[in-house]
Amino acid sequence: MNTILSFAVQGIDASFHEPYAALMKGLVYGLPIQIDPALKQEIVRSGLAHLVVLSGANVTLLTQFSEKLFFSLSKKVGIIFQLIFLCVFVSIVGFQAPLMRAIIMFICTAVCTLAGRPSLMLWNLFITILIVAFIHTEWITSISFQLSVFATIGIIIWSIISTRFEKKINPFVEIFFESWVVFLVTAPISIWYFKSISLISPFSTMLVSWLIVPLMIVGFTISLVYLLFPPLATLIATPTQVGLQFIIFIIQNTSHLPFGYITF
Amino acid sequence: MKKHHNLIFIIGVACLITIIRSILSAQTLQIVFCDVGQGTATLLQLGKYQTLIDTGPDQRVLSCIGRHMPFFDHTIETVIISHNQKDHNGGMEALQNKYTINHVYGPLPKSTFLKTTQFTEVQNIVSLHIENASIIIHKASQSSNDANDSANVVTITTPTHTVFLASDINGLELKSLIPRKTTILEVPHHGSKYGLYPDSLDLALPTLAVISVGKKNTYGHPSKEALDLLKAKLIHVWRTDLQGELVVNL
């Protein structure tokens, strides 16, 4: 862990007991859960391992946050600040294949926006894969990158399907179906590499996904606030405890359901 | 505006749940037999007061006690180390990094990272009290140089229960040290055949035996002999490798 990251996680470590601190560090900074091998295995079995790795969700959160802060200035300045935010975040957490996939895709979208051209997600993804192949060929063969790419394809497929519905879909139902599409698209990779698959994943994802963005925001806030005024970080952490306890509860209960996790 | 009201309401409810859970946990004396793999860690808790008996082999102990401690509490009042073997004291450093520890009772040598914590060597018997519960730490043997045989055993007595934590002592010592009124026994040496002899439980008949043991451990714990003996005496067995942690309200 680099020095900046160890500073950043101090607040989370001091504000939460384990395993909640480990879960929060996984959500916000993609740090692997090493505190408890049994919990790590339960996360895999419940199909929620994608929550504790850095991915598009972290990039979206950062870009949306900087958009709210700086887009009132101008679109160009806003995008520049978004890129600065992302660079700072990468310098904290390090280069990771799924994170870089999301950032390069964001840059492609930003270029389209600045050029006044429509941004096509599949096309952006294709260009991203080409760029990654050029700058860091080994990532192409990494499991995390492949899972990230296929999950993005699943999200794109679902966004195409969902636009055909005339009525607005309930957010929980939408997440459930989106999770199913992502699950079906990423299933061959899971089976091929891990010789296992979590059938409960779409269900458990639906149950906890609404909490992820608020928890990530609070996690970032605690990291910053702790460096300035530690007692305030503890105060902010108080209601957050319930959210983390809920996720652990879902992990523990869905991971032990019969036929929820199949090994080949 | 309505959106803000909803957000404030959700945060308020979440705060309330956290506080109520902490207050409720303060009402009852609990003992938690942690699942720390091949090792032993047992948490005794009443509200903000915690006594941890052994720390297990590594940082897994944090995950166990963190689920039971009140969210605002970052101090462990007492840690009792039965003997200096990794499966019993290996989690001490992780514990020291995460929490403030007020007092450690254990055998010499004192761990090097216990700089600011008060340390007491258990030479014979030490008694502690939490409300109406008593904790007696007893050095199993004064003469033996063997770490297992001279380990510190712990007896916790409440109006309704007597819990005997036998660490890694052998079956002969168990027979002489186990209190007659024992209701819960933590089986010596993770269920090793040397921890329970056929006559070890002749003087006491616990209703529950807890075996703190790791999945697929290389020692073959718990032994068939120990399991058969407990079965023959109709003692209910709880294995942390198969059933996970156990929480008992005392």
Side-chain angles (χ1 to χ4, degrees), chain B residues 40-59:
Chain B
T40 305
T42 310
L43 175 72
L44 183 71
Q45 175 170 253
L46 178 65
K48 270 194 77 184
Y49 183 95
Q50 288 89 24
T51 293
L52 183 70
I53 301 111
D54 283 337
T55 66
D58 51 36
Q59 58 188 358

Side-chain angles (χ1 to χ4, degrees), chain A residues 7 14 39 44 46 52 98 103 105 108 125 130 132 144 148 150 175 183 188 199 201 204 223 225-226 240 243 247:
Chain A
F7 263 113
L39 177 65
V44 171
S46 63
V52 288
I103 290 176
M105 270 192 84
C108 291
L125 182 63
L130 284 183
V132 168
S144 60
S148 172
F150 277 80
I175 287 168
F183 168 76
L199 297 176
S201 177
S204 49
S223 288
V225 168
Y226 183 79
T240 318
I247 295 179

Side-chain angles (χ1 to χ4, degrees), chain A residues 13 16-18 36 238 242 252, chain B residues 14 18 67 70 73 98-99:
Chain A
D13 274 331
F16 298 103
H17 292 309
E18 298 295 352
D36 188 348
T238 307
V242 180
Q252 286 181 326
Chain B
T18 310
R67 291 173 208 232
D73 186 6
K98 182 83 180 171
Y99 297 106

Side-chain angles (χ1 to χ4, degrees), chain B residues 24-25 43 46 51 60 77 80-81 84 90 132-133 138 154 170 173 175 187 192 219 227-228:
Chain B
L24 286 178
S25 75
L43 175 72
L46 178 65
T51 293
R60 269 175 281 189
E77 280 66 23
I80 299 165
I81 298 293
N84 287 328
N132 56 3
H138 189 166
V154 177
N170 62 51
E173 287 179 309
K175 187 180 178 183
V187 177
S192 150
Y219 307 98
L227 291 173
D228 286 346

Side-chain angles (χ1 to χ4, degrees), chain A residues 12-21 34-39 42 234-235 237-243 245 248 252, chain B residues 10-15 17-19 21 35 58-67 69-74 98-99:
Chain A
I12 295 174
D13 274 331
S15 306
F16 298 103
H17 292 309
E18 298 295 352
Y20 311 111
Q34 290 167 330
I35 192 85
D36 188 348
L39 177 65
E42 282 174 344
T234 311
L235 198 68
T238 307
T240 318
Q241 193 86 12
V242 180
Q245 282 171 353
I248 296 282
Q252 286 181 326
Chain B
I10 291 168
I11 293 171
V13 170
C15 283
I17 293 172
T18 310
I19 293 162
R21 278 174 64 103
D35 175 15
D58 51 36
Q59 58 188 358
R60 269 175 281 189
V61 67
L62 299 180
S63 191
C64 170
I65 61 175
R67 291 173 208 232
M69 281 176 75
F71 78 96
F72 51 80
D73 186 6
H74 292 272
K98 182 83 180 171
Y99 297 106

